[in-house]
Structures are given as structure tokens and as C-alpha cells.
Amino acid sequence: QVQVVESGGGLVQPGGSLRLSCVVSGSIFSISAMGWYRQVPGKERELVALFSRDGSIKYADDVKGRFTISRDRAWNTVSLQMNSLKPEDTAVYYCLGLYGSASFWGQGTQVTVSS
């Protein structure tokens, strides 16, 4: 049973920083990709940042230069350092563990950027 557990998030003022962390565990198979998505009410979940096994790293255009994704060598944990936060970054952030075509999501963590 794959488990995806997020931590971090919270309330921060514009221009501030937050760090999200996620642990993905429980599979005997190699993970294909891991990373972060976010969602606001009424909109689809969107990519924030993603590591893939082929070595590629994707960032959403509006977080490039502000957010940094990192992971451990064993592909068990993935983190998202978010700097220079803006009110439009407010969303529920979800961690993804992808095994082939099977997606496993965390429960989501709220990030609110407001003064």
C-alpha cells in the first residue's frame, strides 16, 4: 500500500517563504516521478514542480526562479522550497508519487499567502 504523507504549509505574508515536504513509501516498484501539484477551488489541479526518472525537472512557468524542488537519492522524499510567495500562490498543495500509470496523492496541505 503506497502512502504519500505531506508536511509543511500554513499562512505566510507576501514575499515570505515556506517549505513543503513529502514522504512516499510502501511500493516494491520503482517510482517513475514525484513532485508537487496545487489546486484552488473551481480550477483543475496544476503542476508546480516534478522530478522524472529520465532526469528531467519541470516547473510551472509562474514559479520558476522562486520555487525549488529537491529529493533524496532513494526517491523517498521530495521537498518544495517556496520563496517570494505571492497571494496567487494560495492553494492546496498535493504531493504526487507516480508508478508507471498509477498515481498516488497525498491528502493536501493548505498554503495561504496573505497580509
Side-chain angles (χ1 to χ4, degrees):
Q1 182 75 13
V2 176
Q3 290 188 317
V4 182
V5 180
E6 301 133 338
S7 60
L11 173 64
V12 64
Q13 292 186 342
S17 298
L18 280 175
R19 185 176 181 87
L20 306 180
S21 294
C22 174
V23 178
V24 182
S25 62
S27 176
I28 62 172
F29 300 104
S30 294
I31 199 166
S32 304
M34 62 189 318
W36 295 91
Y37 282 67
R38 65 187 180 188
Q39 189 170 23
V40 298
K43 291 191 176 181
E44 291 188 357
R45 197 169 294 186
E46 63 179 13
L47 170 73
V48 177
L50 187 75
F51 279 111
S52 296
R53 273 290 186 182
D54 64 4
S56 63
I57 304 174
K58 293 181 182 178
Y59 285 99
D61 286 343
D62 60 351
V63 307
K64 287 179 181 177
R66 300 189 298 120
F67 291 11
T68 303
I69 191 172
S70 61
R71 60 168 178 82
D72 68 333
R73 285 189 173 185
W75 289 78
N76 289 329
T77 63
V78 61
S79 297
L80 186 69
Q81 178 65 41
M82 304 184 292
N83 298 329
S84 302
L85 282 160
K86 304 175 181 180
E88 50 264 44
D89 294 317
T90 296
V92 178
Y93 284 69
Y94 294 91
C95 180
L96 166 70
L98 184 66
Y99 296 84
S101 60
S103 299
F104 296 89
W105 296 93
Q107 76 282 1
T109 186
Q110 178 70 45
V111 172
T112 302
V113 185
S114 175
S115 55

